[in-house]
Amino acid sequence: MPNNAEYCADVVRQADRDRYLATLFAPARHRDALFSLYAFNVEIAQVRDKAREPMPGEIRLQWWREVLAGERQGEAAAHPVAAALMDTLRRYGFVAAPLLELIDARTFDLYDEPMATVGELELYGIQTQSPLFAMAAGILAEGAPLPEAFTLDASVAMALAKVLAELRRHASRRQLYVPLDMLDRHSVYREDIFAGQPTAPLRAALTEMRGLVREHLAKARGSLRGVPPQILPAFLPLALIEPTLRRMDRADYGPFKFQPLPAWRRQWLIWRAARNPAGLFGG
């Protein structure tokens, strides 16, 4: 049987390949901690898929809240991801509050209520991504100051890029992460999205979304000079965003038939960014 660290690494390898590859560029002494954090994220992100109904999903998220609060020590010790995560929190002196915020934000995923505004989507991005970036950076920093502005913009860019890439999956279960205020500006009918219709108004709204992603990437790029180099492995998946957006810029882009970058190219982009941080932004 694999130990907790091996189990977490396998979870991440299978469910979040990009962060798995990025972690291989981190010092070996920090990899187990990073894998525990990312495996926790996989557990939370997959609750909707595994629970299928809101109430079982709410129960599962509440279990994780109680684990982080130290209320289920026996159960946590028997759960390889929970045990590894709690060990990481203790070892690095992290408080659980950011992860509790991540869980609260992920409650949105359990229901079919639409994302109302761009501001709400940006906040969702911060709450679901910045704890991962900030804690991973904290693991790697070894006392270096953490760049808050860089982390926040990276978080929003990552979350919005995922919304664009997963439009088909969300539409298939009648979820709307593209904000209603943005859809309304372009006169997009929700039922067209749920029916998988790539209408001209929808294409215009998605073009605006890509512009918003690029705005946050540009802000993160502007903060790159102050980022300690040792924390960059935490941010290597950013290198995939701009190349993905360029594929969406093509005339033949099909929002409901979009295929992600092939595995070999994702691996190459992460490797390139590890060698040159400018590669984080498609440079």
Side-chain angles (χ1 to χ4, degrees), residues 23-36:
T23 301
L24 299 182
F25 291 96
R29 63 185 179 279
H30 295 312
R31 289 177 196 162
D32 288 352
L34 293 170
F35 284 137
S36 73

Side-chain angles (χ1 to χ4, degrees), residues 109-141:
D109 302 348
L110 302 180
Y111 298 90
D112 295 338
E113 290 297 316
M115 192 71 69
T117 67
V118 168
E120 289 183 12
L121 179 59
E122 290 175 321
L123 179 60
Y124 173 88
I126 290 170
Q127 291 174 329
T128 57
Q129 296 296 324
S130 67
L132 304 175
F133 282 133
M135 285 192 171
I139 289 167
L140 296 166

Side-chain angles (χ1 to χ4, degrees), residues 7-8 11-12 15-16 35-51 57 60-61 63-64 79-82 85 102-103 106 109-110:
Y7 181 91
C8 289
V11 167
V12 180
D16 192 350
F35 284 137
S36 73
L37 178 64
Y38 298 152
F40 161 78
N41 181 59
V42 169
E43 290 273 339
I44 302 303
Q46 290 183 345
V47 164
R48 162 103 188 208
D49 297 319
K50 293 181 177 179
R60 190 60 181 167
L61 293 182
W63 185 87
W64 276 104
H79 189 292
V81 176
L85 178 67
L102 182 154
I103 292 172
R106 284 290 188 178
D109 302 348
L110 302 180

Side-chain angles (χ1 to χ4, degrees), residues 231-279:
I231 74 170
L232 288 177
F235 296 92
L236 290 178
L238 293 177
L240 307 176
I241 295 178
E242 179 57 35
T244 298
L245 296 180
R246 289 175 190 154
R247 287 167 69 94
M248 294 176 178
D249 290 338
R250 297 174 182 172
D252 62 351
Y253 164 54
F256 300 103
K257 297 180 180 179
F258 182 72
Q259 295 296 318
L261 296 167
W264 69 265
R265 187 154 187 240
R266 303 175 82 86
Q267 185 169 340
W268 180 79
L269 288 166
I270 288 172
W271 173 84
R272 185 184 67 165
R275 291 172 61 86
N276 179 8

Side-chain angles (χ1 to χ4, degrees), residues 131-165:
L132 304 175
F133 282 133
M135 285 192 171
I139 289 167
L140 296 166
E142 299 182 331
L146 300 182
E148 182 177 0
F150 180 85
T151 299
L152 294 180
D153 284 308
S155 299
V156 177
M158 177 71 79
L160 269 62
K162 285 180 177 292
V163 167
L164 288 166

Side-chain angles (χ1 to χ4, degrees), residues 48-49 109 112 168-175 177:
R48 162 103 188 208
D49 297 319
D109 302 348
D112 295 338
R168 175 175 57 187
R169 185 168 72 93
H170 293 154
S172 71
R173 57 194 192 191
R174 300 185 68 83
Q175 283 184 295
Y177 286 81

